[in-house]
Amino acid sequence: MSAGRNVLTPEALTMMDVIARTGSFAAAARALGKVPSSLTYSVRQLEDALDVLLFDRRSGQARLTAAGQELLDEGRRLLEQIDAVANRVRRVATGWETQLGIALDGILSRPTVLELCEAFYAACASLSGGASGAGTHSTRLKLRTEVLAGTWEALVTGQVDLAIGVGSDRLLPPGIRLKELGSVRFVFAVAPHHPLAAASEPISDAELARHRAVAVADSAQRLTPLTVNLLPEQDVLTVSSMQVKIDAQLRGLGCGFVPEPLARVHIDAGRLVAKPVQRALRPVAMGYAWRAPETAGPEGDHAGLGLALRWWLEQLESPTTRRALLERHGNPAALGLA
């Protein structure tokens, strides 16, 4: 057995991940509950065994070398695979996943997502005869909000088991299934005090290009990020989420296209003004996709899936739930989940 295999333990890979995330040996030592000298010694042991330099220490910070970055990337992938193996083993024994990862596009209804979580925990408690939220079931939900291609990337790279709000026109790699979620209509909106609020209609691209746009950054790290509805040479304010984008447009910091269900409450209240534009605006088709065994049956067959993922897919088969995820952004009466 090689020396590299002996030192590339889950503990060593986790140590690399923590150092990279915290940015220094001292901060990583605190996060791991170690003294800095012990952590430094462990890193040197790892470097000696691999015969490479993992960190450039000249700056006084933990800066990764090219070799260190490669080990970090591959180490994170290996840790995800180890977690997935443990999850599959437990699922074989009990039918329930240890953890279920779900990526959610940022335009989905947060109240509806949380109601689904609440219903999931209640269903788990009912099956085990316990009280909701009392830890009677050990499937942990791990939700993450993504933007544009980032939602799809989280699924195809194995970071999550289910992605809700992906583009529905994708070529599917082996082991990925996709169903239609619905479509979202976008509107061009500005604050009442924005110069375009008084512009002649419909507004041309030439006129739009003269004004700053507010755009949400694609969260994809490996796939090619998507850019939507931005014009060449247009000034852009880039933000992290659709909600921040809307907040920026409410302040008149820029203009842009926003999902009509999210903007509706602001348009009705007069805080945003929807303006017709010359370019054709088509509804955006969205879907939900999940990781399934390549040996599974036809689409709709949930055989081979864990019980937690199966539960979520059953909820998404309800037209009411799908519509609520895309349109219910206010505070109406509680949604009845199928």
Side-chain angles (χ1 to χ4, degrees):
M1 184 178 294
S2 68
R5 185 179 299 181
N6 287 334
V7 297
L8 290 178
T9 63
E11 292 77 14
L13 298 176
T14 299
M15 174 186 68
M16 288 287 297
D17 183 66
V18 174
I19 294 173
R21 291 181 187 278
T22 57
S24 72
F25 287 172
R30 288 193 298 271
L32 293 170
K34 296 184 176 183
V35 296
S37 59
S38 173
L39 187 68
T40 301
Y41 178 72
S42 297
V43 171
R44 285 176 178 167
Q45 279 190 312
L46 185 59
E47 290 177 325
D48 290 343
L50 298 176
D51 195 24
V52 297
L53 187 65
L54 299 174
F55 293 96
D56 184 348
R57 300 168 175 82
R58 289 175 299 179
S59 65
Q61 295 181 333
R63 295 188 181 276
L64 287 163
T65 63
Q69 185 64 53
E70 179 68 14
L71 178 59
L72 175 66
D73 294 341
E74 290 300 312
R76 286 173 172 170
R77 183 180 61 82
L78 288 172
L79 288 173
E80 290 171 358
Q81 291 182 347
I82 291 171
D83 289 341
V85 169
N87 202 0
R88 288 195 296 269
V89 168
R90 187 181 187 282
R91 189 176 67 205
V92 168
T94 68
W96 290 94
E97 299 92 321
T98 302
Q99 176 175 285
L100 186 72
I102 305 176
L104 303 154
D105 188 274
I107 71 171
L108 297 178
S109 163
R110 287 175 291 181
T112 304
V113 170
L114 294 178
E115 286 179 2
L116 284 166
C117 292
E118 185 178 22
F120 173 76
Y121 290 133
C124 292
S126 175
L127 289 172
S128 57
S132 178
T136 56
H137 196 280
S138 58
T139 297
R140 292 175 293 175
L141 294 179
K142 186 175 183 181
L143 308 181
R144 52 191 292 170
T145 300
E146 301 289 346
V147 178
L148 295 172
T151 311
W152 181 253
E153 179 183 89
L155 179 70
V156 298
T157 57
Q159 299 176 65
V160 298
D161 308 287
L162 172 64
I164 308 176
V166 298
S168 59
D169 57 348
R170 296 181 176 276
L171 294 176
L172 301 183
I176 300 295
R177 300 288 177 84
L178 182 144
K179 279 191 173 183
E180 181 180 343
L181 183 67
S183 61
V184 178
R185 186 169 71 90
F186 279 68
V187 295
F188 181 80
V190 294
H193 57 281
H194 190 279
L196 286 177
S200 299
E201 302 174 355
I203 303 175
S204 67
D205 280 358
E207 181 64 20
L208 291 180
R210 295 173 51 203
H211 299 269
R212 182 187 305 112
V214 183
V216 183
D218 194 316
S219 60
Q221 299 296 314
R222 301 179 188 178
L223 299 181
T224 302
L226 299 177
T227 300
V228 182
N229 287 324
L230 293 180
L231 297 168
E233 306 302 323
Q234 186 175 22
D235 185 20
V236 181
L237 168 62
T238 303
V239 297
S240 60
S241 71
M242 183 59 70
Q243 189 55 61
V244 177
K245 170 182 167 70
I246 292 176
D247 289 344
Q249 290 182 209
L250 288 169
R251 292 176 176 269
L253 296 177
C255 59
F257 298 86
V258 292
E260 191 277 335
L262 271 171
R264 186 182 306 149
V265 63
H266 300 295
I267 293 172
D268 290 345
R271 294 187 293 269
L272 284 177
V273 178
K275 299 287 290 185
V277 294
Q278 282 185 351
R279 64 169 58 190
L281 292 181
R282 298 176 181 175
V284 176
M286 306 191 78
Y288 61 96
W290 65 95
R291 304 180 65 82
E294 294 184 31
T295 56
E299 184 176 350
D301 182 3
H302 296 168
L305 300 181
L307 296 179
L309 177 56
R310 191 179 304 181
W311 184 94
W312 280 82
L313 292 176
E314 289 171 354
Q315 309 313 305
L316 290 169
E317 289 174 359
S318 163
T320 302
T321 299
R322 295 197 301 269
R323 185 169 59 253
L325 281 166
L326 295 176
E327 298 182 4
R328 181 176 168 259
H329 295 278
N331 295 297
L335 171 70
L337 299 176

